[in-house]
C-alpha cells in the first residue's frame, strides 16, 4: 500500500553579474592590455562556475530520491533497533527486580485459580503448536520445486492470492466457535498455519545455518519480551493499541513500497529500513501488548459465558508477532540492504 510520491521539479534562477570597466579617472594613466584581458577572463570563469553551481542545485526531487543509496538509511535503522533493544533490556531489569511499585502478572500468579492457569497454558500450547506446524509446512514446501515456484511468483495475481489466503484463513479460524476435541476450528487452524508456512518457505534459500540462528535469536527475543510483559504492571502496555495500529500501517506501506523502489535507491533504502528494522521494533511492542492481553483475558473472562474462552484465537496474536520477528531477524542476518547493493 504505497502511495507513490510525485516529485515536483524546481529550478533556481540564475543571476548574471555584469561588470563594466570605465575609463580611468586618473589622467595620463592607461591600463595595460594584458591586465584587462586577465580580469575579463577571471569574470568569465566565475560566471561559468556560478552556472554550474546553479545547474547542480536544480536537480529534481525525483532524481534525488532515485539516486544511489548510501549507508545512512540502514545505519539509522540499525541504531533504532539497537536503542530499542537496550531500552527493553533496561525495562526488563527494572521490572524483573521488582523496582516498580505496582505488581505484575508474576506477582499475582500465586493467587491465580486453576481455571486461569489452564487458560494460559492452553493458549501457549496452541502457540507452540502453531510454530511447529508452520515449520513443518515451510520445510515440506521448500522440498517441492513446483510448490516453491508457485510461492515465489512475483505477479500481482499471485501476490493478491497469497494475501487473500492468509487473511481469509485467519478470519475463518477466528469466526468458528471453540470446542473441546478435534473439530472444524482446529482443522481451520491447521490450514492457516500451513498457509503461513508456505509464505515463509522461500526463506529456505538463506540457508539452514542462518535460519537456525534466526530461530534461536527469535526464541531469545520473544522469551525476553514475554518475561518483560509478565513482570510489568498489568496494563502497562495495553494502552499502546492506537499507536501500534498506526505503526503497523506505516510498516505495511513501506513493505509494499519495496516492490516498486528497490533498496539500491535512496527512497527505497529508507522504505526497506522502515520495513525491516522498524518492523522488528513494532512487532516486539506488539508481542508485549498481546502477552498482557492474553493474561488479562484469562483473568477476567467469565466462566459461564455464551462462548467459551478461545485459546486458539488468543494465541494467533503472539504467533503472528513471533513469525514477523523471525522473518526480520533472518533478513538482517543476511546483511540487510548492504548485500543488496553489491
Amino acid at each position: 500500500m504505497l502511495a507513490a510520491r510525485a516529485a515536483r521539479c524546481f529550478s533556481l534562477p540564475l543571476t548574471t553579474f555584469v561588470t563594466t570597466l570605465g575609463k580611468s579617472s586618473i589622467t595620463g594613466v592607461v591600463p595595460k592590455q594584458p591586465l584587462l584581458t586577465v580580469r575579463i577572463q577571471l569574470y568569465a570563469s566565475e560566471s561559468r562556475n556560478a552556472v554550474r553551481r546553479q545547474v547542480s542545485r536544480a536537480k529534481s526531487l525525483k532524481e534525488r530520491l532515485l539516486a544511489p543509496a548510501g549507508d545512512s538509511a540502514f545505519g539509522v535503522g540499525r541504531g533504532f533497533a539497537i536503542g530499542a533493544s537496550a531500552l527493553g533490556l533496561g525495562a526488563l531489569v527494572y521490572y524483573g527486580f521488582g523496582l516498580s511499585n505496582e505488581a505484575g502478572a508474576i506477582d499475582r500468579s500465586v493467587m491465580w485459580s486453576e481455571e486461569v492457569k489452564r487458560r494460559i497454558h492452553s493458549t501457549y500450547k496452541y502457540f507452540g503448536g502453531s510454530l511447529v506446524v508452520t515449520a513443518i509446512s515451510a520445510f515440506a514446501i521448500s522440498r517441492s520445486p513446483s510448490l516453491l515456484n508457485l510461492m515465489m511468483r512475483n505477479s500481482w495475481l499471485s501476490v493478491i492470492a497469497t494475501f487473500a489466503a492468509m487473511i481469509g484463513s485467519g478470519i475463518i479460524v477466528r469466526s468458528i466457535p471453540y470446542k473441546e476435541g478435534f473439530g472444524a476450528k482446529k482443522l481451520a487452524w491447521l490450514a492457516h498455519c500451513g498457509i503461513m508456512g508456505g509464505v515463509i518457505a522461500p526463506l529456505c534459500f538463506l540457508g539452514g545455518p542462518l535460519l537456525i540462528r534466526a530461530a534461536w535469536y527469535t526464541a531469545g527475543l520473544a522469551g525476553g519480551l514475554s518475561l518483560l510483559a509478565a513482570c510489568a504492571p498489568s496494563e502497562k502496555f495495553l494502552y499502546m493499541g492506537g499507536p501500534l495500529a498506526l505503526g503497523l500501517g506505516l510498516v505495511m506501506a513501506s513493505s509494499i513500497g519495496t516492490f516498486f523502489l528497490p533498496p539500491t535507491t535512496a527512497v527505497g533504502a529508507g522504505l526497506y529500513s522502515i520495513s525491516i528494522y522498524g518492523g522488528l521494533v513494532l512487532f516486539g511492542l506488539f508481542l508485549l501488548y498481546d502477552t498482557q492481553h492474553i493474561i488479562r483475558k484469562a483473568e477476567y473472562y467469565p466462566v459461564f459465558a455464551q462462548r467459551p474462552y478461545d485459546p486458539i484465537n488468543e494465541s494467533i496474536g503472539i504467533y503472528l508477532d513471533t513469525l514477523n520477528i523471525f522473518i526480520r531477524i533472518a533478513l538482517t542476518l543476511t546483511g540487510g540492504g548492504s548485500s543488496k547493493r553489491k
Side-chain angles (χ1 to χ4, degrees), residues 48-164:
R48 286 195 300 269
N49 292 335
V51 171
R52 292 194 189 99
R53 288 194 297 268
Q54 297 292 346
V55 171
S56 64
R57 287 198 298 265
K59 291 182 179 180
S60 65
L61 179 60
K62 181 178 180 180
E63 292 175 346
R64 293 180 180 180
L65 294 179
L66 297 181
D71 294 329
S72 59
F74 302 103
V76 170
R78 295 189 193 99
F80 179 65
I82 292 173
S85 301
L87 183 61
L89 183 61
L92 179 60
V93 172
Y94 178 78
Y95 292 116
F97 282 95
L99 301 179
S100 176
N101 296 327
E102 303 178 56
I106 290 184
D107 300 323
R108 300 193 314 274
S109 62
V110 295
M111 298 181 294
W112 281 349
S113 64
E114 290 299 324
E115 178 65 19
V116 174
K117 295 179 181 179
R118 185 189 65 83
R119 289 173 177 177
I120 295 178
H121 180 267
S122 298
T123 300
Y124 278 90
K125 180 181 69 174
Y126 282 108
F127 164 65
S130 300
L131 296 179
V132 172
V133 173
T134 301
I136 294 174
S137 174
F139 178 77
I141 293 176
S142 67
R143 307 299 292 180
S144 174
S146 57
L147 293 177
L148 188 60
N149 181 59
L150 179 64
M151 298 306 301
M152 292 184 62
R153 289 182 180 177
N154 293 326
S155 64
W156 279 108
L157 182 60
S158 61
V159 172
I160 293 174
T162 302
F163 273 95

Side-chain angles (χ1 to χ4, degrees), residues 256-335:
I256 298 298
T258 56
F259 284 103
F260 302 95
L261 297 170
T264 53
T265 62
V267 64
L271 292 175
Y272 184 85
S273 182
I274 293 174
S275 175
I276 299 300
Y277 299 105
L280 182 61
V281 175
L282 175 71
F283 287 107
L285 295 175
F286 260 116
L287 189 58
L288 293 173
Y289 173 85
D290 290 329
T291 301
Q292 288 203 336
H293 183 270
I294 289 173
I295 297 174
R296 183 176 178 84
K297 192 75 171 290
E299 289 178 333
Y300 294 101
Y301 196 82
V303 178
F304 302 102
Q306 185 177 1
R307 297 184 63 170
Y309 177 83
D310 194 334
I312 293 181
N313 284 3
E314 297 302 320
S315 68
I316 289 178
I318 55 176
Y319 161 67
L320 294 178
D321 299 337
T322 305
L323 207 59
N324 278 283
I325 290 173
F326 168 74
I327 293 172
R328 281 158 175 80
I329 288 180
L331 292 178
T332 56
L333 291 178
T334 62

Side-chain angles (χ1 to χ4, degrees), residues 233-250:
S234 301
E235 300 181 359
K236 190 66 177 179
F237 302 110
L238 291 179
Y239 71 92
M240 299 189 305
L244 289 178
L246 295 177
L248 180 61
L250 176 62

